[in-house]
Amino acid sequence: MAPTYDVSVNYNSAITPGKGLKIGVLALQGDVREHLKALADCGATAVSVRRPSELAAVDGLIIPGGESTTMDKLSRIFGLREPLRERIQAGLPVYGSCAGMILLANEIADPATDLAGNPQQTLGGLDVTVRRNAFGRQVDSFETELDFTALAPAGQAETPMHAVFIRAPWVERVGAGVQVLASVKLPEAGQNDRIDFEVRAVAVRSRHLLATSFHPEVTGERRIHELFIRMIRGEA
């Protein structure tokens, strides 16, 4: 059985945007537990997804941060790659964080290659080009305040979001129908020679797909998860 989180633990019962929803976190590798906790804090039934049968039972899915190449390989081993692609194409709401953004992208500017020289594959669905580890190595990780479009529910004021970037990708190209929700102005983002004076997109959305370069699950920030829940409900 896939584990679920008890939403009565460390949870404010007055705030239940996710009540009645079953939302999965792809549990092949990465920040699985942190996203499960974030979903539970929002009132959703949060479950790990490792099998096609578990994927078929969720209202939405989060692909967490981690190693995109490892997730790609494990998705094949667990028989999840094609079911994931099919559900994404069929309109399943999916949120990808960091490595999850890479896996949702249609194109990678600098894909990793296997021993035979074959470039890594993505699940696709999001018409963007991303660059892996774009902000630099682990030592170049940074935190910043972001202006995030359409984050607050209707009628509420938008406020900046504190974002943590860890070996993060950025978006170099957005296709038609892709909305940029947040960007980082460079070189304020970091202090390495890969950064120039351009602005890079770090949060994007296209219909039922949402992706961020950063990790809201590690800071206790819940507004991204709440936005994703509104997307699942058709309220955003």
Side-chain angles (χ1 to χ4, degrees), residues 31 34-35 164-166 214-222 225:
D31 296 341
E34 292 84 352
H35 279 290
V164 175
F165 293 80
I166 304 170
F214 53 91
H215 295 262
E217 74 281 2
V218 303
T219 61
E221 173 64 65
R222 296 293 178 255
H225 294 82

Side-chain angles (χ1 to χ4, degrees), residues 80-104:
L80 271 170
R81 176 173 167 76
E82 289 311 312
L84 280 167
R85 286 173 57 85
E86 289 171 3
R87 287 221 65 189
I88 290 171
Q89 292 173 4
L92 176 71
V94 180
Y95 164 45
S97 169
C98 198
M101 170 185 272
I102 295 171
L103 287 170
L104 285 178

Side-chain angles (χ1 to χ4, degrees), residues 5-28:
Y5 265 68
D6 180 358
V7 298
S8 66
V9 178
N10 295 323
Y11 175 66
N12 181 352
S13 60
I15 305 174
T16 57
K19 185 176 181 180
L21 294 178
K22 186 176 184 179
I23 305 176
V25 179
L26 188 63
L28 301 176

Side-chain angles (χ1 to χ4, degrees), residues 16-62:
T16 57
K19 185 176 181 180
L21 294 178
K22 186 176 184 179
I23 305 176
V25 179
L26 188 63
L28 301 176
Q29 188 264 345
D31 296 341
V32 177
R33 182 173 294 273
E34 292 84 352
H35 279 290
L36 288 170
K37 176 61 169 58
L39 290 170
D41 283 349
C42 293
T45 298
V47 298
S48 297
V49 171
R50 297 186 185 89
R51 300 175 179 86
S53 59
E54 295 165 347
L55 175 63
V58 299
D59 301 305
L61 180 73
I62 292 178

Side-chain angles (χ1 to χ4, degrees), residues 118-172:
N118 300 311
Q120 73 179 99
Q121 301 297 306
T122 70
L123 299 171
L126 194 57
D127 187 13
V128 298
T129 300
V130 299
R131 183 171 295 278
R132 300 164 52 250
N133 303 327
F135 291 100
R137 300 169 298 167
Q138 190 83 14
V139 295
D140 299 307
S141 300
F142 66 97
E143 303 179 29
T144 190
E145 300 297 315
L146 291 179
D147 292 324
F148 202 108
T149 301
L151 184 63
Q156 296 186 20
E158 302 280 3
T159 57
M161 168 176 290
H162 188 75
V164 175
F165 293 80
I166 304 170
R167 295 179 59 199
W170 65 39
V171 177
E172 296 197 346

Side-chain angles (χ1 to χ4, degrees), residues 148-233:
F148 202 108
T149 301
L151 184 63
Q156 296 186 20
E158 302 280 3
T159 57
M161 168 176 290
H162 188 75
V164 175
F165 293 80
I166 304 170
R167 295 179 59 199
W170 65 39
V171 177
E172 296 197 346
R173 178 194 65 84
V174 296
V178 178
Q179 180 185 11
V180 175
L181 302 179
S183 300
V184 170
K185 184 178 179 181
L186 309 174
E188 295 173 2
Q191 303 297 324
N192 63 76
D193 57 11
R194 303 183 70 173
I195 291 179
D196 53 27
F197 283 88
E198 299 180 32
V199 173
R200 296 298 189 188
V202 294
V204 293
R205 177 186 175 182
S206 179
R207 298 181 294 113
H208 60 292
L209 302 179
L210 175 68
T212 65
S213 300
F214 53 91
H215 295 262
E217 74 281 2
V218 303
T219 61
E221 173 64 65
R222 296 293 178 255
R223 285 179 291 169
I224 295 290
H225 294 82
E226 291 172 358
L227 170 61
F228 183 52
I229 286 168
R230 295 200 304 276
M231 287 172 55
I232 296 172
R233 294 193 183 281

